[in-house]
Amino acid sequence: MSKQSDYLLASEARSINSAPFDGISHELCSRRKDVIMMSADLSKYTQLDSVKRDFPDQHLEVGMAEQNLLSVAAGVSKAGFVPVATTFACYATRRAYDQMLVCMGTSPLTNVVIGFTPGIANPARIHHQAAEDLGMVRAIPNATVIDPMDATEFGQALNAAVDLPGLVYMRGHRGNTPCLLNTGHYQFELGKTYQLRGGRGIGIIATGHATQWALEACDILEQENIDHSLLHVPTIKPVNEAEIADYCFAHEQVVTIENHQIVTGLGSLVAEIVSNIGRGPRITRLGVPNTWAPGGTLPYIREQLELDAIQLAKRIKEVSGE
Amino acid sequence: MSSAIESGSNQKRIRELKLLAAKIRRNVLDICMQRGGYAGQGVALADIAACLYFDELREDDNNWFHDRFVLSNGHDAIMCYGAFAEHGAYTMDALRTYNADGTVVDQSPIEGQLGFEITAGSLGQGPSQSAGIAYGERLKGSDKRVYCLFSDGELQEGNVWEAAMFAGHQKLSNLVYIIDNNDLGATGSTATTLSVEPVPEKFESFGFAARRINGNSIEEILAAFEEAKSIRDKPYVMICDTRLFVGIDCLQKTLPMAHYVAKAQADWQAGLAEIEATIEALSQ
């Protein structure tokens, strides 16, 4: 393990935050009175309770209407506030994509959207899952797309997001969320990539929830003495092409892991960067394949899609040839 | 002030607005005859534009508008251009590049273009954005009023009703919706495609104060704007019945249902001659 990983990751005693957004949103609203937390009848399920209770003027409910959520939010920004529109990722993107692109994407004003239970992190299959959100928003010119890996990064990224121009789409975490990063040393910077494990064997690139999965697989690889490294890429757009290219060209084999379809998301992004240069390493993309993910508990869904720690480690080993 | 003087002053104001509306109609034809455009809507909305830009919206200290106007249906930007030529925000030389490749005078403007608050054109998104602006202005304690123009065809978009439910629930009395009720969608009569009536009753059930008016009567438009300001606990909607090319008879006869008018489609010179005669008569 490299020094950098020791430095960035928390010690063995990792804490769990049972309601990360409750604290993150409360802290932000107490500090920034221009921020308006908005919800579409899901504040209870995105854990926005404390803001609603303590700062009622900074909470705006639009009802079960996501197109309205994003377009009203765009109006709120035009009155001088910073809206943070919260709902599930599937509704924020699929249901209200045109409002996101037109009302927020063409505006220079800060419009933050947080998509909770992204990818397969929702037990209700297909309609509540969102395995295509990163690709959809990545296609909007000048948008910012962030997929934080844990509660620590979620809070830091949101604090950065409210000062960025234009549309910022973030994936959110709810419920028991680990604090994996060292809160004393880690600092989120837009566009920066973070090497969490150092090694010269196979290169692993992950983002968001999938960085948690990658770390679990890395623990198995380490026990089996498989040389590897792990690069965490929280900013999907604007992407740091140079850091990703440097990392990829330092490895003969690269595996990408994402809580997303293997098309249009992180894997595609890495492949685009490498192919632009040419003669790069082979990229193996792991994530949701061209199928509907099953419903159920996250461990079950991951197992079915061969994304649980044991199967991920096995698939990485197969790619590495060890 | 005696009522006779007041009445005289009001008549002068109405006469001036009628003249401005006629000039806006002329500007719309001048702009659209270059390469085509949404001439019928621009002409039909001239009375609303005159009342809005030259009477209702209050000025700020920078020769701009204190109150906020949100255009939802982008193609009705032609109405704004006709008025901006009189206001001075754009020159007629600039406006004559409307619909030209590379122009900054967009047929359907993008947020940030002078005079336009939102990217208008994906229909049904102005009502909710203007409701968001009205909510934010009220939250700030500002006295700014927010006006949003959209069309009866847009009423077929679900987002409009999500916005109406929100505005009614929030009792946004600083918000005024202006509906261009011209019975025309992209392919023909709204009544035939998918009826949107009864429009006032629908909005009333969403918590609005509503009034149906003749959208080409300066008197009725001014009265509706006054009524809107008197209502303290509800948003207001004025359903403005209009028809394409109202005010230029020769074009209304030949192009009664032309959603878009190509350059070769209209007898622009006949239309210009008619509206110039109207301007001359109103200038007496």
Side-chain angles (χ1 to χ4, degrees):
Chain A
M1 209 185 283
S2 74
K3 195 177 174 191
Q4 190 183 10
S5 63
D6 291 332
Y7 187 73
L8 292 177
L9 287 170
S11 61
E12 288 305 311
R14 291 168 182 167
S15 62
I16 296 286
N17 187 332
S18 62
F21 191 55
D22 196 50
I24 290 167
S25 56
H26 193 272
E27 188 279 327
L28 178 60
C29 284
S30 65
R31 186 169 56 80
R32 286 279 297 262
K33 304 320 282 183
D34 59 339
V35 168
I36 307 282
M37 291 287 165
M38 296 180 58
S39 56
D41 197 30
L42 282 178
S43 58
K44 182 178 167 189
Y45 302 94
T46 58
Q47 300 178 313
L48 197 47
D49 300 323
S50 297
V51 166
K52 210 170 162 180
R53 183 192 63 224
D54 295 343
F55 308 116
D57 279 354
Q58 288 178 270
H59 177 256
L60 178 56
E61 175 63 66
V62 303
M64 206 178 288
E66 293 78 16
Q67 295 176 30
N68 210 35
L69 174 72
L70 268 56
S71 44
V72 168
V76 167
S77 76
K78 291 172 176 66
F81 294 93
V82 177
V84 177
T86 64
T87 183
F88 290 170
C90 52
Y91 307 133
T93 54
R94 292 202 302 266
R95 185 83 181 213
Y97 188 57
D98 195 52
Q99 282 76 5
M100 181 186 280
L101 187 150
V102 176
C103 304
M104 296 179 157
T106 65
S107 177
L109 302 169
T110 305
N111 280 280
V112 181
V113 180
I114 306 181
F116 285 84
T117 72
I120 56 172
N122 192 296
R125 67 186 306 238
I126 303 175
H127 45 86
H128 277 56
Q129 296 173 343
E132 59 291 302
D133 59 333
L134 296 178
M136 290 175 76
V137 190
R138 186 161 84 86
I140 299 176
N142 305 318
T144 297
V145 183
I146 304 169
D147 193 3
M149 65 174 276
D150 74 344
T152 302
E153 189 170 50
F154 184 18
Q156 292 187 4
L158 180 59
N159 285 334
V162 295
D163 286 324
L164 294 172
L167 165 65
V168 184
Y169 176 72
M170 292 178 57
R171 283 177 145 192
H173 293 263
R174 70 160 189 178
N176 288 337
T177 303
C179 300
L180 299 168
L181 293 163
N182 186 326
T183 51
H185 298 149
Y186 181 83
Q187 183 55 53
F188 171 83
E189 283 178 40
L190 187 72
K192 192 169 162 53
T193 65
Y194 301 89
Q195 193 163 330
L196 301 181
R197 294 277 172 107
R200 282 191 282 187
I202 190 158
I204 304 165
I205 304 180
T207 186
H209 289 73
T211 298
Q212 297 175 20
W213 309 345
L215 281 167
E216 294 166 11
C218 286
D219 286 345
I220 296 173
L221 295 175
E222 195 165 275
Q223 284 164 16
E224 298 182 6
N225 291 318
I226 308 289
D227 192 14
H228 67 279
S229 71
L230 171 62
L231 186 72
H232 170 55
V233 180
T235 306
I236 300 297
K237 186 171 186 165
V239 72
N240 192 323
E241 293 197 16
E243 287 185 14
I244 290 176
D246 285 349
Y247 180 84
C248 288
F249 281 83
H251 294 83
E252 290 182 8
Q253 291 277 0
V254 170
V255 174
T256 61
I257 307 176
E258 61 196 301
N259 176 25
H260 191 270
Q261 280 268 350
I262 57 169
V263 294
T264 76
L266 175 73
S268 297
L269 177 60
V270 171
E272 289 159 18
I273 292 167
V274 170
S275 71
N276 276 344
I277 299 166
R279 296 189 188 138
R282 181 179 161 206
I283 314 289
T284 301
R285 293 167 294 134
L286 304 183
V288 180
N290 183 26
T291 186
W292 299 117
T297 62
L298 186 56
Y300 172 77
I301 302 171
R302 284 179 60 189
E303 190 182 351
Q304 293 298 304
L305 296 175
E306 300 182 333
L307 295 171
D308 59 291
I310 293 169
Q311 293 190 86
L312 268 180
K314 183 166 167 280
R315 294 168 82 183
I316 295 166
K317 273 192 293 183
E318 283 169 5
V319 171
S320 73
E322 293 199 41
Chain B
M1 194 188 289
S2 77
S3 63
I5 296 172
E6 197 171 68
S7 167
S9 157
N10 202 38
Q11 281 173 10
K12 182 167 178 279
R13 171 186 172 215
I14 288 168
R15 208 165 50 241
E16 284 171 357
L17 289 172
K18 283 184 177 171
L19 178 59
L20 272 164
K23 288 178 177 174
I24 291 169
R25 287 186 167 91
R26 178 195 60 199
N27 297 341
V28 167
L29 290 196
D30 188 336
I31 294 165
C32 291
M33 68 189 284
Q34 309 300 324
R35 288 167 211 84
Y38 296 96
Q41 292 89 333
V43 169
L45 291 167
D47 302 299
I48 292 170
C51 293
L52 185 71
Y53 283 115
F54 298 99
D55 194 87
E56 180 64 9
L57 298 180
R58 291 168 292 175
E59 287 181 5
D60 67 10
D61 296 335
N62 302 311
N63 196 30
W64 197 244
F65 301 102
H66 174 72
D67 298 307
R68 305 184 68 165
F69 173 62
V70 174
L71 174 73
S72 180
N73 46 341
H75 54 274
D76 280 353
I78 185 64
M79 168 198 99
C80 311
Y81 292 140
F84 284 150
E86 295 305 310
H87 173 273
Y90 289 78
T91 65
M92 276 307 294
D93 279 349
L95 292 170
R96 289 189 186 107
T97 66
Y98 171 86
N99 201 14
D101 288 345
T103 182
V104 294
V105 181
D106 216 315
Q107 272 198 119
S108 188
I110 304 302
E111 180 178 335
Q113 185 183 325
L114 180 62
F116 299 94
E117 295 255 13
I118 69 167
T119 297
S122 187
L123 298 178
Q125 298 177 358
S128 44
Q129 290 198 71
S130 56
I133 294 171
Y135 179 87
E137 293 290 356
R138 188 178 69 180
L139 189 61
K140 281 194 298 192
S142 142
D143 71 339
K144 290 190 181 195
R145 294 178 61 75
V146 183
Y147 299 79
C148 178
L149 174 71
F150 53 104
S151 65
D152 61 333
E154 281 185 279
L155 296 175
Q156 294 163 350
E157 295 277 5
N159 201 169
V160 170
W161 300 104
E162 294 181 353
M165 199 179 293
F166 172 80
H169 177 82
Q170 293 288 347
K171 304 186 191 307
L172 297 175
S173 57
N174 57 345
L175 178 66
V176 178
Y177 285 165
I178 306 164
I179 298 178
D180 175 19
N181 199 38
N182 65 3
D183 189 31
L184 187 68
T187 55
S189 162
T190 310
T192 307
T193 305
L194 185 70
S195 176
V196 298
E197 295 289 357
V199 181
E201 289 83 347
K202 283 189 170 93
F203 276 94
E204 279 167 355
S205 74
F206 279 76
F208 280 64
R211 183 165 298 280
R212 184 193 288 276
I213 62 166
N214 173 354
N216 296 108
S217 160
I218 297 280
E219 292 86 346
E220 289 188 34
I221 296 165
L222 293 177
F225 279 141
E226 280 311 304
E227 183 178 55
K229 285 194 278 276
S230 72
I231 290 166
R232 297 286 170 205
D233 58 350
K234 288 178 178 181
Y236 188 85
V237 58
M238 43 201 278
I239 298 100
C240 304
D241 290 340
T242 65
R243 288 294 179 271
L244 293 187
F245 283 117
V246 170
I248 306 183
D249 293 345
C250 63
L251 292 175
Q252 192 173 38
K253 277 180 194 144
T254 53
L255 298 162
M257 297 292 276
H259 173 67
Y260 182 89
V261 184
K263 183 183 175 183
Q265 209 179 334
D267 187 345
W268 302 102
Q269 294 306 333
L272 277 175
E274 185 181 327
I275 196 64
E276 290 289 6
T278 305
I279 291 170
E280 198 177 330
L282 289 167
S283 304
Q284 298 299 314

